[in-house]
Amino acid sequence: MSLLRLASGSAACLLAVSSLAAEPLPESTLAEARALRERALVDDTAYELVRSLTTEVGPRLAGSPGDARAVAWAVQKLQALGFANVRTEPVTVRRWIRGEARAEIVAPWPQALVVAALGGSVATPADGIEAEIVPVASLDDLKAQPPERIAGRIVFFSMRMERSRDGSGYGKTVPPRGSGAAEAARLGAVAMVMRSAGTSVSRTPHTGAQRYADGIPPIPAFALSNPDADLLEQQLASGQPVRLRVTSTSRWDGEAQSANVIGEIPGRGARKDEVIVLGAHLDSWDLGTGAHDDATGIGIIAAAAKLAGEARPRPARTIRVVFFANEEFGLTGAKAYAANHAGKIDKHVLGLESDLGAFRPFGLLARVPPDKLPLVRTIHSVLEPLGVAWLGTEANGGADVGQLRPLGVPVMDLATDAEPYFDLHHTANDTFDKVDPELVRRNVAAYAVIAYLAAEAEGGFGRLPVASKTAQ
Ligand SMILES: [Zn+2]
């Protein structure tokens, strides 16, 4: 063998070795991920967790007795499932008491309406508030009204949420819920009612958080069910003034302790300090039992992490589940987690969240640096048999885990069918009977595959640009 041949042979050999080393997920790992996917499709750990949380704890509005029971439940369940480093990270939340809400059309044709107070609403006087209603289509429409048309009246936001698989109708109808009462109060309105930001055709209003503006006296705020909003519109269509009486006893009641609950599947070897974060929120609204929002998320991520931890070889990185406190009333837990873990944010390799119920997964999105897209597409190839298409790079990480994104943490989103979700979201109908075990398993399979392969992938997912403080 000539020296030349030896040299070129070594070079070829080196090339082969380096291209092998550059393959972040070897075929044996992908085979294990496919087997993990199939195991998850016959595993009911998540469904049983959803049953337990909705049945044995029930509604868990932040700061309520149910919320405290949920934290204790979560610690016990994570320990029983074999998670390591199970712990709570306390947060302080404001406590809101729903009380009772009523609404009735007084004129032209008296009828009772089904309403729910929006989260954070103040009470009416004991004998209620009666006034003529003035309909507006949107926040912009409200702001365009002359103040004398609004002052002393009840503002009615009439915008209807469109059904769509990607849930995009929600983002368009939610602004009046968040700040409609504040903006109406600024113009002198005495109360605010809105068509629910949701698509239920039952007489079940969709509640949700709203926020007042500093320096403007708050006015009571209510969501009407869609059929009740229709009824109001029918009466308005007569052209006669429509008078409404609303009554509510809701109030704020100091502060309470809640907590993020964390458990881990520890990684093996040199990369065990690096974490893949799976998030969901433990709190819920109080009208139903928070089955799809977000007991299913809790069940899905816990079962996915547990099953990924049973794969062989064990995941190289640590898979951390975070059950966030108080997502619904201001992301208290997510903000606390980002602050508590800021010093180790560089160890957070990837984040993903389950907070859109347990419906059919149909797509994957990943926000990663461009050079990491081939790795993501390799992970996606294992999800394709679940009916998951590649949807591109516009992932946001969800409400809670998305708080880590401006800190540079790459995120993935599993897109699931949002149409049935927004029929139930924040209503009394969000209960366990709506949960389909087969769809829960499909979600678990997808999250388990992503978590396992993300924990194994050589070289990780890079970093996103860090947002400046002012941009946040
Ligand atoms: Zn949620």
Side-chain angles (χ1 to χ4, degrees), residues 281 293-294 327-328 355 421:
H281 66 88
D293 189 15
D294 186 19
E327 186 270 347
E328 299 290 3
D355 186 16
Y421 180 69

Side-chain angles (χ1 to χ4, degrees), residues 102-108 111-113 115 128-133 154-156 190-194 222 224 228 232 241-247:
R102 290 198 310 277
E104 58 192 310
I105 300 173
V106 176
Q111 291 217 36
L113 298 177
V115 293
I129 293 171
E130 185 188 317
E132 185 181 336
I133 67 163
I154 298 173
V155 166
F156 165 45
V190 291
M192 178 278 245
V193 298
M194 67 176 294
F222 304 83
L224 290 162
D228 288 276
L232 202 49
V242 176
R243 293 186 68 79
L244 199 65
R245 170 180 292 278
V246 289
T247 310

Side-chain angles (χ1 to χ4, degrees), residues 115-152:
V115 293
L118 288 179
S121 177
V122 294
T124 64
D127 56 350
I129 293 171
E130 185 188 317
E132 185 181 336
I133 67 163
V134 49
V136 296
S138 65
L139 282 175
D140 284 344
D141 186 22
L142 171 69
K143 289 172 188 167
Q145 302 292 325
E148 62 272 21
R149 183 152 185 263
I150 303 299

Side-chain angles (χ1 to χ4, degrees), residues 27-276:
E27 175 50 35
S28 59
T29 304
L30 294 171
E32 178 63 7
R34 289 190 283 268
L36 168 61
R37 180 190 69 208
E38 298 307 308
R39 288 195 293 274
L41 288 173
V42 292
D43 186 282
D44 278 328
T45 303
Y47 186 68
E48 169 53 24
L49 287 169
V50 180
R51 186 206 60 75
S52 174
L53 181 55
T54 54
T55 307
E56 297 159 24
V57 178
R60 42 204 184 276
L61 190 63
S64 70
D67 186 36
R69 285 201 305 275
V71 170
W73 174 94
V75 168
Q76 190 267 325
K77 288 295 181 191
L78 288 173
Q79 286 172 342
L81 289 167
F83 281 78
N85 306 323
V86 176
R87 60 198 187 272
T88 57
E89 295 186 348
V91 297
T92 302
V93 297
R94 292 181 70 201
R95 179 166 44 210
W96 178 73
I97 310 284
R98 173 171 297 284
E100 292 180 11
R102 290 198 310 277
E104 58 192 310
I105 300 173
V106 176
W109 301 290
Q111 291 217 36
L113 298 177
V114 181
V115 293
L118 288 179
S121 177
V122 294
T124 64
D127 56 350
I129 293 171
E130 185 188 317
E132 185 181 336
I133 67 163
V134 49
V136 296
S138 65
L139 282 175
D140 284 344
D141 186 22
L142 171 69
K143 289 172 188 167
Q145 302 292 325
E148 62 272 21
R149 183 152 185 263
I150 303 299
R153 296 202 167 95
I154 298 173
V155 166
F156 165 45
F157 285 94
S158 61
M159 189 194 295
R160 185 188 295 273
M161 180 176 161
E162 284 173 26
R163 294 171 67 89
S164 65
R165 192 171 71 153
D166 68 0
S168 56
Y170 183 63
K172 293 173 192 156
T173 47
V174 87
R177 194 192 75 202
S179 61
E183 294 303 324
R186 199 186 297 280
L187 296 172
V190 291
M192 178 278 245
V193 298
M194 67 176 294
R195 180 186 283 279
S196 286
T199 53
S200 174
V201 295
S202 301
R203 291 187 87 172
T204 48
H206 300 247
T207 191
Q210 63 95 39
R211 193 179 295 265
Y212 295 116
D214 289 340
I216 297 168
I219 59 173
F222 304 83
L224 290 162
S225 82
N226 275 304
D228 288 276
D230 291 344
L231 176 56
L232 202 49
E233 288 182 356
Q234 290 301 323
Q235 295 218 5
L236 283 163
S238 72
Q240 301 180 61
V242 176
R243 293 186 68 79
L244 199 65
R245 170 180 292 278
V246 289
T247 310
S248 167
T249 59
S250 44
R251 63 192 167 92
W252 287 100
D253 182 32
E255 293 181 334
Q257 289 299 302
S258 187
N260 293 332
V261 183
I262 297 174
E264 293 177 346
I265 303 296
R268 63 172 207 275
R271 286 182 286 161
K272 64 177 187 296
D273 289 344
E274 299 178 0
V275 296
I276 308 301

Side-chain angles (χ1 to χ4, degrees), residues 280-281 283-285 292-295 327-328 353-357 399-400 421 425-426 430:
H281 66 88
D283 66 309
S284 79
W285 282 103
H292 281 286
D293 189 15
D294 186 19
E327 186 270 347
E328 299 290 3
E353 174 169 311
S354 174
D355 186 16
L356 206 58
D400 288 319
Y421 180 69
H425 184 246
H426 296 184
D430 186 10

Side-chain angles (χ1 to χ4, degrees), residues 206-404:
H206 300 247
T207 191
Q210 63 95 39
R211 193 179 295 265
Y212 295 116
D214 289 340
I216 297 168
I219 59 173
F222 304 83
L224 290 162
S225 82
N226 275 304
D228 288 276
D230 291 344
L231 176 56
L232 202 49
E233 288 182 356
Q234 290 301 323
Q235 295 218 5
L236 283 163
S238 72
Q240 301 180 61
V242 176
R243 293 186 68 79
L244 199 65
R245 170 180 292 278
V246 289
T247 310
S248 167
T249 59
S250 44
R251 63 192 167 92
W252 287 100
D253 182 32
E255 293 181 334
Q257 289 299 302
S258 187
N260 293 332
V261 183
I262 297 174
E264 293 177 346
I265 303 296
R268 63 172 207 275
R271 286 182 286 161
K272 64 177 187 296
D273 289 344
E274 299 178 0
V275 296
I276 308 301
V277 172
L278 302 185
H281 66 88
L282 192 55
D283 66 309
S284 79
W285 282 103
D286 52 339
L287 297 174
T289 59
H292 281 286
D293 189 15
D294 186 19
T296 50
I298 295 291
I300 287 164
I301 63 164
K306 172 180 178 286
L307 290 167
E310 291 164 0
R312 291 296 177 265
R314 286 179 60 86
R317 297 189 178 89
T318 292
I319 299 173
R320 176 181 295 166
V321 298
V322 185
F323 296 172
F324 289 100
N326 194 28
E327 186 270 347
E328 299 290 3
F329 252 122
L331 306 170
T332 316
K335 289 173 183 169
Y337 182 90
N340 293 345
H341 296 266
K344 289 194 167 177
I345 203 69
D346 290 348
K347 299 291 187 188
H348 289 65
V349 170
L350 184 77
L352 66 160
E353 174 169 311
S354 174
D355 186 16
L356 206 58
F359 296 102
R360 188 168 297 277
F362 65 86
L364 181 72
L365 303 96
R367 196 179 293 262
V368 296
D371 64 315
K372 295 297 181 180
L373 282 173
L375 167 60
V376 171
R377 297 304 300 273
T378 301
I379 294 174
H380 169 246
S381 71
V382 184
L383 302 175
E384 269 187 309
L386 298 171
V388 173
W390 170 243
L391 296 182
T393 57
E394 295 299 304
N396 66 43
D400 288 319
V401 171
Q403 299 295 314
L404 303 179

